[in-house]
Amino acid sequence: MRKLSPGRTVVSYIWALSPIYTLGMGTSITMIIAAVRVRSVLLWLMQPVYLALVILGFATAGSEDGTTGDTVFLAVFLTLVTIGTGHAFFLRRRVFSPAEADLLKQAELDVHRRRELRAQAAEVARRSPALAVEMRIGRPDLERSYDDGGLIDVNHAPASVLAEIPGMTPELAARVVQVRSDTGGFISAEEAATLADLPPMLTPQIAEYGVFLR
């Protein structure tokens, strides 16, 4: 199960503690929220029980001390607070974990962001190769503070880094390193693919992730 963000964690604890600070009377609403979020038939089947206890609690709330009604109220209060809180904490992570649609949307946003970063860094490399070298664009193997979106300097990165290009195997990466050593480097993805005799499917991937700094 995915780790909750700090914000979701805080909200989840506030929700899970609601049976306590509502004195048990909000437990039914707490469990309805859980049933809606988790989409559990079992949780929905339990709703009448929680609702009945809440109604019974309200009905006996004004009973005189020592009477049967007072005893019933105390038992209902303790049940809603203890059982409700324990149940809420048991469900907390499931209730507040991002929905699959949210996860998919976040994954799409992350991909787009990485593409934008690669495009920006590639433009820096095109405009000022010396600056790109100083910024260590395409060199995740070196210490740096600039996020280039996953670009790889095909002319200088070690084979282990080249192998991170989608579709690039360690064997193909080693071949690229050998050919660039023999030829002095490449000027484009097409040249690298041709000289290193790489599979055609790799050319678009090298073009997407590669820079060719001299």
Side-chain angles (χ1 to χ4, degrees), residues 9 21 27 43 48 53 72 86 115 119 127 137 147 154 166 169 192 200:
T9 298
Y21 59 73
T27 303
L43 282 176
L53 287 173
V72 170
R115 285 180 175 174
R127 189 176 65 250
I137 288 175
D147 184 359
V154 181
T169 65

Side-chain angles (χ1 to χ4, degrees), residues 24-43:
M25 297 300 104
T27 303
S28 179
I29 296 175
T30 301
M31 290 302 121
I32 288 175
I33 293 173
V36 171
R37 292 282 299 177
V38 178
R39 299 179 183 178
S40 168
V41 174
L42 179 59
L43 282 176

Side-chain angles (χ1 to χ4, degrees), residues 10 14 16 27 73 84 94 107 131 151 179 185:
V10 171
I14 293 174
T27 303
F73 172 77
R94 290 177 61 193
L131 178 60
L151 284 182
V179 173

